[in-house]
Amino acid sequence: MKEIRRSYCGLCHPRCGTLLHLENGKVVKVTGDPDHPITRGVICERGRLMQDHLYHPQRLNYPFKRVGKKGEGRWQQISWDQALDEVAQNLSELRDKHGAETLTFTHGTKRTYHWDCRRFFNLFGSPNTCGVNTICMCPSYATEFATYGGMIMGSEVPAAKCVVLWGCNASQSSPVGLYPKIVAARKNGAKVIVVDPRRTKEAEKADVWLQIRPGTDLALMLGWIRLIIAEDLYDREFVSQWTVGFEELKEAVEPYTPEKVAEITSVPAGLVTESARMYATNGPAVIPFGLGLDKQGVNSTQCARGRAIIRAITGNLEIPGGEVFSLAGEVGKIRDTGYFELNDMLPESQKAKQLGVDQYPFFGFPGWEKNSAANKRLPEGYMAAPEAWHSNLAHAREVMNAIITGKPYPVTAAITLANNPLLALPNTKRVFEALQALELYVVVDYYMTPSAALADYVFPAASTVETSEIWLTGRFCMACPQGVEPMYERRNSYDFYRGLGMRLGQEEYWPWETIEDVYDHSLEPVGLTFKQLADQYGVFGEMEYRRYEQFGFGTPSGKVELKSSIFEELGADPLPQYREPVWSPVSSPELAEEYPLILITGSRFMPMYHSEQRQIEKARKKIPDPLVSIHPETAENLGLSEGDWAMISTPLGSIRQRVKISDVMHPKMVDIQHSWWFPEREPKLPELFGVFESNANILCPDDPEFCSPEIGSWPHSALLCRVEKEVEGRKSAHK
Ligand SMILES: Nc1nc2c(c(=O)[nH]1)N[C@H]1C(S)=C(S)[C@@H](COP(=O)(O)OP(=O)(O)OC[C@H]3O[C@@H](n4cnc5c(=O)[nH]c(N)nc54)[C@H](O)[C@@H]3O)O[C@H]1N2
Ligand SMILES: Nc1nc2c(c(=O)[nH]1)N[C@H]1C(S)=C(S)[C@@H](COP(=O)(O)OP(=O)(O)OC[C@H]3O[C@@H](n4cnc5c(=O)[nH]c(N)nc54)[C@H](O)[C@@H]3O)O[C@H]1N2
Ligand code: SF4
Ligand SMILES: [Mo]
């Protein structure tokens, strides 16, 4: 029997609408849903792999309990009830012994619901969920809240007259979401500026490409601001009425002449000037989010400030074709993250124990509380809550250290759900040591990953098409309906957290039996059930512009804070100041003799999504091995040819990847792929799926001096390395 069912793809952020083609109950093909009002029938090559993922023989289908030693690969299949009972019992005992802060959580990028996790943790009493948000979007969004009381969720790219891709490679990272919008803007005559050390596909078609030295973007931003002010290209009326701190900003950027910027960034002075003028005179203009800024360590938080300031002084906030952040009409009424997380339920005494807040003043609860208090001046439903980028978010390095040393207090238990800490977090060696030291480690995943292989309990996760979701952005809220019943004993994350919560005295806070019941509650204020939302696809809000004229901005002053009072009160730099990357030919010339090449990691590539798809045959056929991109001249000097295995080293260790000769970047730079492991290898120690062989994060440091002083963002880019031809017997030095 043939059947077509409407569902969605959740294999990356945009949640594209899909049609599942079933034969005798089995999905045989996945296509885009042409009636979906947002994605209109388009899906990418990864989305088409959904059925390979759904039925993959290596999927986890039942809960497992470790029976041998940690990482020995010996497991016993048990029931969900037994697994949840035992985990809850263990957690209860550990909480009695050490306090609730002894439990941590590691998160990855937004895959499943996330608020259910923070709800569970706030109720359990631990302030210590941690993970990749510290370098992904949190530096940008939390900082935008401090600057203009909201986060830019919907740059109106297609209607913009100038699009700046600043550390953003949308053709690879957002083929269905952002990239088509850039193409549309270009067709409509927009100028495109690309700031990227690599000549990406976007750069090839750009009006201006600034081949910046990694890690120096803030100097370029300060140069833009100086020039925009000096040449009177800013929006005088907006600045005088709606900003504070302009005079101080003007003074702070004074040293950043085009010549000085050229010296720091390697971008010729003429291009610094040309690009700043192009941006400032072709409004409305947008600068969408780009991870190239968030992942550069010491400067990342102030880069987010710099970008926010540039958007604001040129009058690009809340205008058609510009940067829009308020929630549109009905969408603002829907109960979302801020409503469900219950951050206020966590006692102050527990919040104070959050790991890392003593070092990074703007991070975690202290930063969130300031942002949240300032935001309260705005009417309810006007702005997405700042929770998701702050609040229950401890610093991963400090969490790992606490697990290993027991200081400042013992962290003995961890849950990982939709994350692969051995591949996603920097300093793999420390993460490995920490995961091994845990008394209780619980992982919920699709597959037995290298991180899961170190667990005490592993739970099988439902694929996105096996569960429902709502996808809420500033402008719309779409239903993402379940397409097929969960197979075997796979379940969604809500069932996992509710199952634990019900066993740990949180019954009254989990009244909704299923995730769709939760969404019925979310949608109550707009008079819909989840089913009705799914029938009509979603809810769209009426877009309004310049609403600050009515309400002001959600900052302490009610204006855009070019000089941030929140940063100042917390003891962080209220005005951006450039810092040289810690490892660089300028700041560490001696180290640069030994490690002469500039290293960037993690540039996105299709069809892989982080550490996923490595077990999917079609994906591996396309990209069978991890690749290091090297300029032809550099490769020749090093005696390397296309396809050779090369050793890449930093002071932290060495890994191996295959050489791809490419002139998209400077001869003094190399680019390595991130998140490589090998599901076909031994699933146990010492090999652990080859996780120590080609994993970029073995090379990335996370010590305090490498991290941004405001948030603690660590670097995955702007580092130094050495590349050599691999010699037999010197393979993979880090075991
Ligand atoms: N295929 C695929 N798509 C993905 C993902 C994936 O893993 N695979 N991950 C998703 C996630 S979680 C995220 S956060 C997004 C990120 O997606 P993007 O924002 O596009 O980020 P990246 O591809 O990491 O890097 C963007 C660009 O930054 C450049 N870059 C590196 N260092 C610097 C620097 O110091 N300065 C500047 N100006 N540029 C620099 C790189 O050359 C790269 O071209 O992608 C999402 N989409
Ligand atoms: N060197 C370097 N490191 C980086 C980056 C970089 O550019 N360079 N980028 C960083 C960034 S921006 C990010 S966001 C992180 C990403 O890091 P993560 O989001 O942790 O990505 P993965 O390592 O792929 O781990 C995700 C795991 O979750 C599982 N999973 C997927 N969907 C679900 C689900 O719905 N439920 C459950 N239970 N499990 C699921 C997958 O099978 C996989 O094992 O990596 C960061 N690490
Ligand atoms: S862009 Fe591709 S992988 Fe991402 S949600 Fe859409 S179809 Fe799925
Ligand atoms: Mo990310």
Side-chain angles (χ1 to χ4, degrees):
M1 204 188 72
K2 289 190 182 181
E3 192 188 350
I4 294 182
R5 284 200 211 143
R6 207 142 60 65
S7 190
Y8 72 106
C9 175
L11 292 176
C12 83
H13 296 149
R15 309 302 200 257
C16 301
T18 60
L19 297 177
L20 304 182
H21 302 249
L22 287 93
E23 273 179 32
N24 303 321
K26 196 172 170 190
V27 179
V28 291
K29 195 166 75 169
V30 180
T31 56
D33 176 0
D35 296 328
H36 191 276
I38 304 297
T39 50
R40 297 179 186 284
V42 182
I43 58 169
C44 75
E45 56 177 300
R46 181 166 53 245
R48 282 190 283 273
L49 299 174
M50 179 62 88
Q51 85 259 32
D52 300 66
H53 169 57
L54 189 59
Y55 301 113
H56 200 283
Q58 285 169 355
R59 282 289 295 265
L60 287 168
N61 294 324
Y62 304 95
F64 287 99
K65 176 183 180 173
R66 167 174 74 80
V67 286
K69 283 197 229 127
K70 259 182 201 281
E72 207 183 22
R74 291 175 50 216
W75 303 93
Q76 179 196 353
Q77 184 182 321
I78 56 174
S79 69
W80 267 82
D81 273 342
Q82 184 189 341
L84 286 170
D85 285 346
E86 290 185 15
V87 170
Q89 176 68 26
N90 265 307
L91 287 178
S92 181
E93 282 165 20
L94 290 169
R95 178 168 60 181
D96 287 347
K97 197 163 155 198
H98 303 293
E101 62 278 10
T102 201
L103 173 63
T104 186
F105 173 78
T106 74
H107 67 250
T109 192
K110 174 105 177 75
R111 290 195 180 75
T112 170
Y113 318 123
H114 289 211
W115 59 262
D116 49 357
C117 163
R118 283 193 283 255
R119 187 180 184 92
F120 172 80
F121 270 75
N122 288 333
L123 293 169
F124 184 81
S126 171
N128 285 328
T129 85
C130 73
V132 302
N133 271 5
T134 307
I135 55 98
C136 178
M137 296 185 181
C138 179
S140 289
Y141 292 148
T143 303
E144 288 177 24
F145 267 99
T147 310
Y148 34 65
M151 59 189 190
I152 306 294
M153 292 169 83
S155 301
E156 295 201 342
V157 177
K161 289 278 161 284
C162 180
V163 181
V164 186
L165 298 173
W166 207 315
C168 171
N169 184 198
S171 57
Q172 294 298 310
S173 63
S174 190
V176 179
L178 180 58
Y179 190 65
K181 293 185 186 158
I182 298 166
V183 174
R186 201 188 294 120
K187 260 200 196 137
N188 293 338
K191 304 274 184 207
V192 176
I193 301 172
V194 171
V195 189
D196 200 303
R198 297 184 309 136
R199 196 180 65 246
T200 55
K201 183 169 157 188
E202 289 85 332
E204 272 174 7
K205 293 191 181 147
D207 294 272
V208 179
W209 169 41
L210 307 179
Q211 188 177 23
I212 195 158
R213 174 163 72 91
T216 65
D217 298 81
L218 184 56
L220 177 62
M221 289 179 178
L222 301 178
W224 270 30
I225 297 171
R226 184 187 170 280
L227 192 112
I228 287 168
I229 296 175
E231 298 195 351
D232 207 7
L233 300 175
Y234 63 101
D235 184 334
R236 270 184 180 266
E237 202 184 313
F238 181 85
V239 166
S240 72
Q241 274 191 35
W242 289 108
T243 70
V244 293
F246 183 72
E247 287 307 319
E248 287 102 322
L249 173 70
K250 190 172 163 185
E251 204 178 309
V253 298
E254 201 35 50
Y256 293 90
T257 60
E259 295 68 32
K260 164 109 176 170
V261 172
E263 192 188 306
I264 298 173
T265 62
S266 306
V267 174
L271 280 184
V272 174
T273 310
E274 188 190 335
S275 57
R277 285 183 189 146
M278 186 179 281
Y279 171 79
T281 58
N282 284 287
V286 292
I287 318 178
F289 168 81
L291 184 74
L293 298 178
D294 279 28
K295 69 172 161 186
Q296 57 178 257
V298 280
N299 285 309
S300 63
T301 317
Q302 296 292 356
C303 274
R305 284 268 301 141
R307 181 180 50 200
I309 290 169
I310 292 170
R311 288 165 170 166
I313 62 169
T314 48
N316 277 305
L317 297 182
E318 290 278 278
I319 59 167
E323 319 269 19
V324 181
F325 52 69
S326 57
L327 295 173
E330 293 286 278
V331 172
K333 295 186 193 159
I334 295 168
R335 295 172 178 141
D336 192 25
T337 308
Y339 175 89
F340 285 110
E341 285 188 1
L342 303 182
N343 284 295
D344 292 332
M345 296 285 296
L346 187 66
E348 290 305 316
S349 54
Q350 287 305 101
K351 286 182 181 162
K353 293 179 188 161
Q354 189 166 50
L355 290 166
V357 288
D358 51 339
Q359 295 176 48
Y360 303 114
F362 182 57
F363 203 46
F365 280 113
W368 168 71
E369 270 160 7
K370 293 256 184 249
N371 272 350
S372 182
N375 229 255
K376 294 229 156 62
R377 69 161 55 239
L378 301 175
E380 216 176 305
Y382 173 80
M383 195 68 71
E387 268 76 3
W389 316 105
H390 271 294
S391 68
N392 201 330
L393 199 45
H395 195 271
R397 182 197 63 236
E398 293 309 301
V399 170
M400 298 303 146
N401 279 340
I403 297 171
I404 295 165
T405 65
K407 296 208 172 79
Y409 51 75
V411 174
T412 56
I415 299 172
T416 287
L417 185 149
N419 169 233
N420 211 339
L422 281 175
L423 289 140
L425 293 173
N427 200 346
T428 312
K429 207 170 161 184
R430 177 166 11 215
V431 177
F432 177 59
E433 202 183 327
L435 296 186
Q436 280 200 307
L438 284 166
E439 280 181 43
L440 174 68
Y441 187 34
V442 178
V443 174
V444 188
D445 205 297
Y446 296 141
Y447 297 93
M448 184 61 80
T449 66
S451 307
L454 296 177
D456 301 293
Y457 293 87
V458 179
F459 289 78
S463 327
T464 54
V465 291
E466 292 172 297
T467 180
S468 298
E469 198 176 345
I470 59 173
W471 191 245
L472 200 146
T473 77
R475 198 73 57 82
F476 53 79
C477 171
M478 303 303 290
C480 303
Q482 175 182 320
V484 290
E485 284 298 313
M487 295 166 63
Y488 307 100
E489 291 184 19
R490 302 173 189 169
R491 292 195 194 167
N492 65 31
S493 76
Y494 180 76
D495 290 349
F496 172 77
Y497 285 115
R498 182 170 187 270
L500 279 186
M502 299 294 277
R503 288 165 171 79
L504 286 161
Q506 305 175 5
E507 296 90 333
E508 70 178 291
Y509 297 99
W510 301 92
W512 312 285
E513 222 169 284
T514 68
I515 190 67
E516 293 195 8
D517 296 339
V518 176
Y519 292 141
D520 286 345
H521 184 69
S522 286
L523 294 161
E524 206 176 69
V526 291
L528 291 171
T529 61
F530 180 76
K531 168 111 191 20
Q532 288 165 332
L533 185 81
D535 287 344
Q536 67 181 58
Y537 279 101
V539 168
F540 289 83
E542 263 308 297
M543 201 53 225
E544 287 176 65
Y545 298 97
R546 294 197 175 85
R547 286 211 279 174
Y548 57 84
E549 289 176 354
Q550 246 174 299
F551 308 127
F553 289 90
T555 58
S557 61
K559 297 194 172 184
V560 175
E561 301 206 348
L562 303 176
K563 180 177 178 192
S564 166
S565 64
I566 289 183
F567 273 43
E568 191 160 41
E569 269 177 47
L570 292 171
D573 268 338
L575 286 161
Q577 281 182 48
Y578 171 71
R579 298 180 181 87
E580 183 60 29
V582 180
W583 286 346
S584 91
V586 180
S587 58
S588 53
E590 275 173 29
L591 191 75
E593 276 180 32
E594 214 182 320
Y595 301 95
L597 297 167
I598 294 176
L599 173 69
I600 70 167
T601 80
S603 303
R604 283 18 180 178
F605 58 100
M606 290 298 285
M608 309 302 192
Y609 198 67
H610 297 295
S611 72
E612 297 193 60
Q613 287 83 33
R614 300 305 191 279
Q615 57 287 93
I616 310 265
E617 211 178 313
K618 289 176 198 147
R620 272 307 272 291
K621 216 168 161 185
K622 186 167 173 196
I623 318 266
D625 299 309
L627 297 175
V628 47
S629 299
I630 306 180
H631 192 276
E633 279 170 31
T634 315
E636 197 183 328
N637 290 340
L638 295 169
L640 288 164
S641 314
E642 182 84 13
D644 281 351
W645 282 96
M647 262 177 53
I648 307 110
S649 312
T650 71
L652 268 73
S654 302
I655 62 165
R656 65 198 294 260
Q657 299 203 348
R658 254 190 209 282
V659 171
K660 179 180 167 197
I661 310 270
S662 160
D663 68 353
V664 304
M665 71 240 146
H666 196 273
K668 284 220 144 54
M669 212 188 95
V670 297
D671 177 24
I672 60 174
Q673 292 182 340
H674 77 305
S675 280
W676 271 94
W677 62 294
F678 306 93
E680 63 276 18
R681 304 265 190 92
E682 279 278 298
K684 55 184 189 189
L685 286 169
E687 179 147 34
L688 206 63
F689 296 110
V691 72
F692 303 114
E693 200 168 301
S694 301
N695 176 352
N697 282 326
I698 283 171
L699 309 182
C700 295
D702 67 347
D703 283 342
E705 73 262 31
F706 292 94
C707 300
S708 80
E710 302 83 4
I711 282 181
S713 306
W714 47 77
H716 292 294
S717 181
L719 299 165
L720 289 177
C721 75
R722 181 175 65 231
V723 179
E724 298 151 278
K725 189 163 179 162
E726 186 177 74
V727 189
E728 207 47 45
R730 281 186 62 208
K731 275 187 193 167
S732 52
H734 185 105
K735 270 267 163 114

